[in-house]
Amino acid sequence: MKLGILTSGGDAPGMNAVIHGASQVVRAAGGTLAGFKHGLQGIVDADVCAVDVLAAEAESSTAGTMLGTSRSQALLDGAGFERALAAASVDAPDGLIIVGGNGSLNAAHQLATRMTVAFVPATIDNDVPGSEQAIGFDSAVAYAVDAVERLRVTAAALPGRAFIVETLGGDNGNLARAVAAAARIELVVTPEEPIDPPKIAAGLDLAARSDAAIVILCEGATNAVALAQSIEPFSRLRVRPTILGHAQRAATPTEFDRTLGFLAGAAAASELAAGRSSFVGLHTDGTVHAERLGNLAHR
Ligand code: F6P
């Protein structure tokens, strides 16, 4: 059995655990796992390395991706698509595992028209249709909650300040809402709801009476500096922005992401071993399921 794997799109904590899970299944079957470097760029350029199960295991608890990643789907336009298929036919004739978000899922669908592909959702945005959970989301939430707890400490030490914590998340508020829920913060600003500065200011002033005054903001709604400026005229507090930014993507993988990532990678490799193109859906209870790739019935 000769399989391939690549990580694509934004890096997400836990991607290395997916690689580890896949490599374990491949080793048990006496096969080889080719790692294409820097996502789709690697398969188009046939930039490939052998994935060693021990090396993958050593990296499985680290952030980032040991294979690197890239974003552009244009890589699969025209000649790029044929070059990717040619590289796969040499190094991964029995199938390719693609680990990433929605752009990577599109690439998986495209490649699956001509070869066997298994897809594993991995994005801190947690916005892949058909998967309750994506690898990396839990870790990104944990990182942000830690930042909130630190702001609670400084808020208690020096009252009179309110804090805006800006998360990544693109144009959906999944990450910001999950951070707010986990950190017990009632004020959340997301792209899905209109921004109401006087209302946020009133909420912060109220929160400051019993706890730290903190609002969680999704980057897709506005930026933390602009939001702070719009709130301050309505609040008696000094409003300070904290932008978590791309550090969130490099969060240390939580135990949940490591375990789920391993299971997902193993499931993806098993699907390819059985000759199936599959979507590996992930659940909030830490389980995974495989279904036919392209089954959009419930999405
Ligand atoms: O990978 C998802 C994500 O981190 C989003 O949350 C964010 O909006 C985007 O990627 C940032 O993209 P880039 O790394 O290209 O700046």
Side-chain angles (χ1 to χ4, degrees):
M1 179 169 64
K2 283 179 85 173
L3 302 185
I5 189 165
L6 62 82
T7 50
S8 171
D11 51 306
M15 280 179 158
N16 286 330
V18 180
I19 299 169
H20 179 215
S23 67
Q24 188 104 315
V25 166
V26 171
R27 184 181 66 169
T32 58
L33 183 62
F36 293 97
K37 295 186 193 166
H38 294 287
L40 297 174
Q41 187 77 57
I43 195 163
V44 169
D45 296 345
D47 186 2
V48 68
C49 61
V51 176
D52 172 63
V53 69
L54 292 177
E57 182 174 18
E59 293 293 335
S60 68
S61 58
T62 62
T65 158
M66 61 190 283
L67 292 175
T69 181
S70 60
R71 270 198 193 284
S72 176
Q73 254 188 273
L75 288 163
L76 289 186
D77 286 352
F81 186 50
E82 296 303 326
R83 286 169 63 191
L85 291 171
S89 72
V90 173
D91 291 303
D94 298 314
L96 174 70
I97 299 168
I98 296 184
V99 187
N102 282 315
S104 312
L105 178 56
N106 289 338
H109 284 142
Q110 194 180 342
L111 286 165
T113 59
R114 301 272 297 278
M115 61 177 291
T116 315
V117 176
F119 177 79
V120 175
T123 165
I124 65 164
D125 298 351
N126 198 26
D127 60 350
V128 176
S131 193
E132 282 176 355
Q133 189 79 13
I135 302 299
F137 183 62
D138 190 62
S139 310
V141 170
Y143 179 89
V145 169
D146 181 69
V148 169
E149 295 308 338
R150 286 163 201 271
L151 289 172
R152 278 199 164 103
V153 171
T154 196
L158 182 54
R161 276 104 181 114
F163 299 97
I164 297 173
V165 178
E166 180 184 320
T167 69
L168 288 183
D171 58 9
N172 84 75
N174 292 340
L175 184 55
R177 279 187 292 273
V179 170
R184 307 172 319 281
I185 302 288
E186 285 180 17
L187 296 166
V188 198
V189 177
T190 64
E192 292 88 355
E193 302 286 337
I195 300 174
D196 185 343
K199 193 172 163 193
I200 298 168
L204 287 171
D205 287 353
L206 184 65
R209 289 190 204 150
S210 56
D211 187 11
I214 298 175
V215 56
I216 309 296
L217 164 69
C218 168
E219 62 169 352
T222 181
N223 69 74
V225 175
L227 186 64
Q229 283 166 354
S230 70
I231 290 171
E232 240 173 0
F234 303 101
S235 174
R236 59 181 180 79
L237 303 165
R238 296 179 183 185
V239 188
R240 305 297 199 218
T242 295
I243 301 172
L244 299 177
H246 291 66
Q248 231 179 328
R249 274 213 315 247
T252 301
T254 57
E255 190 181 331
F256 182 80
D257 269 333
R258 294 207 296 262
T259 307
L260 191 62
F262 183 91
L263 287 177
S270 299
E271 288 299 295
L272 294 179
R276 289 190 288 265
S277 275
S278 298
F279 175 93
V280 179
L282 315 175
H283 299 279
T284 50
D285 65 0
T287 58
V288 308
H289 79 277
E291 62 182 271
R292 189 169 59 78
L293 186 66
N295 174 15
L296 299 174
H298 62 285
R299 293 185 199 157

